[in-house]
């Protein structure tokens, strides 16, 4: 099906008048999608390889109002970038999460060029990701909604590296270069994330959504609600609490069989065992 910009904007709550191919438009586009469409890997956790077919992503994220992980979220985001008229190219990043070197190219994001400046635009990293685009043409620290980020350079790999400031210092999120990315590259990376025995997605429930005050995270049964008053941590004790947490914080409802499968998998994941 053809991408329907008006329905996408309705799903994300973006005013059509703001859907303009400038920096302010890009910032609103990324932030509002991250607020409306959760990062979640439920399908991978229950044994599926997420489809990257346009119609199936549209049905899942727009009609069913589910979320997805980076390949699904940024597939949708990329269509919105194109529909509005942004100049963008896909990149595949190597996730680091604090490591000095990255793994395989398993993260999909975009470089968007606006008036000669390149911006890292990413609505699909989840967890500690920046909620607004990051300027790639500077190494200066960037304050993004109260969180500090910078773009480093790894001379050994030739990659730019997205880093976040934490209480323990600078924490690398992922590195990337400008090697041209084709659709089969993204399909292969998606399959690797869903099936590789070293990927966290088939073993652990990983969810994140941005809120007006902060963000909500869920890792297996460990929930974290971050807001203006600090953060609240909780442990989900049973399947009913999981169902409620998904509905209340992520606005996601899944059928009873899927819910039981997720609960079984995260109990196995808590102990590090394969299900």
């Amino acid at each position: 099906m053809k991408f329907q910009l008006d329905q996408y904007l309705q799903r994300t709550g973006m005013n059509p008048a703001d859907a303009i191919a400038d920096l302010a438009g890009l910032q609103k586009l990324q932030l509002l999608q991250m607020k409306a469409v959760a990062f979640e890997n439920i399908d991978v956790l229950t044994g599926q390889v997420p489809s990257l077919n346009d119609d199936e992503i549209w049905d899942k994220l727009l009609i069913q109002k589910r979320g997805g992980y980076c390949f699904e979220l940024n597939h949708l985001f990329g269509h919105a970038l194109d529909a509005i008229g942004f100049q963008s190219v896909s990149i595949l990043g190597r996730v680091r999460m604090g490591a000095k070197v990255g793994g395989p190219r398993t993260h999909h994001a975009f470089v968007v060029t606006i008036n000669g400046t390149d911006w890292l635009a990413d609505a699909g990293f989840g967890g500690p990701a920046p909620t607004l685009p990051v300027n790639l043409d500077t190494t200066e620290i960037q304050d993004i909604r109260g969180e500090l980020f910078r773009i480093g350079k790894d001379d050994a790999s030739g990659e730019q590296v997205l880093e976040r400031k934490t209480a323990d210092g600078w924490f690398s999120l992922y590195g990337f270069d400008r090697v041209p990315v084709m659709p089969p590259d993204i399909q292969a990376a998606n399959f690797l994330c869903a099936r590789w025995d070293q990927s966290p997605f088939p073993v652990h429930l990983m969810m994140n959504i941005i809120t007006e005050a902060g963000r909500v995270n869920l890792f297996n049964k460990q929930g974290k609600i971050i807001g203006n008053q600090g953060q609240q941590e909780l442990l989900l004790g049973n399947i009913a609490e999981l169902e409620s947490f998904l509905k209340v914080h992520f606005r996601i409802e899944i059928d009873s069989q899927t819910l039981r499968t997720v609960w079984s998998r995260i109990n196995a994941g808590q102990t590090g065992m394969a299900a």
Side-chain angles (χ1 to χ4, degrees):
M1 64 171 290
K2 184 178 179 181
F3 180 80
Q4 302 293 320
L5 180 60
D6 57 342
Q7 294 182 40
Y8 169 86
L9 296 178
Q10 184 176 18
R11 170 79 164 102
T12 61
M14 186 170 181
N15 187 329
D18 294 329
I20 300 171
D22 58 12
L23 180 56
L26 181 63
Q27 291 172 328
K28 291 177 182 177
L29 192 72
Q30 178 172 320
L31 177 61
L32 290 175
Q33 177 170 318
M34 294 178 77
K35 284 183 175 181
V37 188
F39 179 99
E40 53 105 333
N41 66 316
I42 291 172
D43 285 357
V44 178
L45 189 66
T46 57
Q48 303 174 57
V49 176
S51 172
L52 300 187
N53 173 273
D54 288 349
D55 290 351
E56 292 184 60
I57 286 182
W58 185 267
D59 179 70
K60 180 180 177 182
L61 275 59
L62 273 291
I63 307 304
Q64 298 181 45
K65 291 183 168 45
R66 282 275 307 279
Y69 71 167
C70 75
F71 301 105
E72 301 164 283
L73 296 174
N74 278 330
H75 185 101
L76 181 69
F77 186 55
H79 278 304
L81 291 172
D82 290 344
I84 294 172
F86 286 101
Q87 178 186 343
S88 68
V89 295
S90 287
I91 59 170
L92 280 175
R94 301 181 188 274
V95 176
R96 298 192 177 204
M97 291 303 288
K100 291 184 178 180
V101 297
R105 300 176 192 272
T106 55
H107 179 62
H108 180 211
F110 298 94
V111 173
V112 178
T113 303
I114 300 174
N115 296 328
T117 300
D118 287 343
W119 299 86
L120 177 63
D122 185 356
F125 192 69
T131 54
L132 298 175
V134 180
N135 188 336
L136 292 176
D137 292 345
T138 179
T139 57
E140 296 295 319
I141 296 172
Q142 301 177 53
D143 187 327
I144 298 179
R145 298 182 78 228
E147 299 171 333
L148 300 181
F149 296 88
R150 71 181 183 186
I151 297 295
K153 181 67 185 295
D154 182 345
D155 291 330
S157 66
E159 295 178 340
Q160 291 182 280
V161 181
L162 175 63
E163 300 176 328
R164 174 179 173 143
K165 185 67 177 293
T166 71
D168 297 320
W170 286 100
F171 184 86
S172 57
L173 298 179
Y174 62 89
F176 56 94
D177 53 30
R178 307 299 178 89
V179 172
V181 173
M182 304 300 290
D185 300 320
I186 297 173
Q187 292 281 357
N190 177 47
F191 185 86
L192 183 65
C193 279
R195 285 288 188 262
W196 188 31
D197 62 3
Q198 295 184 49
S199 170
F201 298 114
V203 180
H204 300 289
L205 178 63
M206 303 167 72
M207 300 184 64
N208 174 269
I209 196 165
I210 302 304
T211 66
E212 195 62 38
R215 62 182 81 213
V216 179
N217 300 326
L218 182 62
F219 181 80
N220 290 332
K221 296 187 287 186
Q222 303 281 342
K224 183 182 292 185
I225 303 168
I226 304 169
N228 294 328
Q229 306 304 315
Q231 68 181 41
Q232 174 190 359
E233 297 186 18
L234 64 156
L235 177 66
L236 303 180
N238 54 55
I239 194 170
E241 291 181 2
L242 171 64
E243 182 177 30
S244 176
F245 200 84
L246 295 183
K247 288 181 180 179
V248 171
H249 295 289
F250 297 99
R251 302 183 294 277
I252 287 176
E253 297 186 39
I254 53 179
D255 63 85
S256 59
Q257 179 58 55
T258 301
L259 187 67
R260 287 193 295 270
T261 301
V262 169
W263 184 249
S264 174
R265 297 286 292 183
I266 65 178
N267 276 287
Q270 285 289 105
T271 61
M273 299 184 299

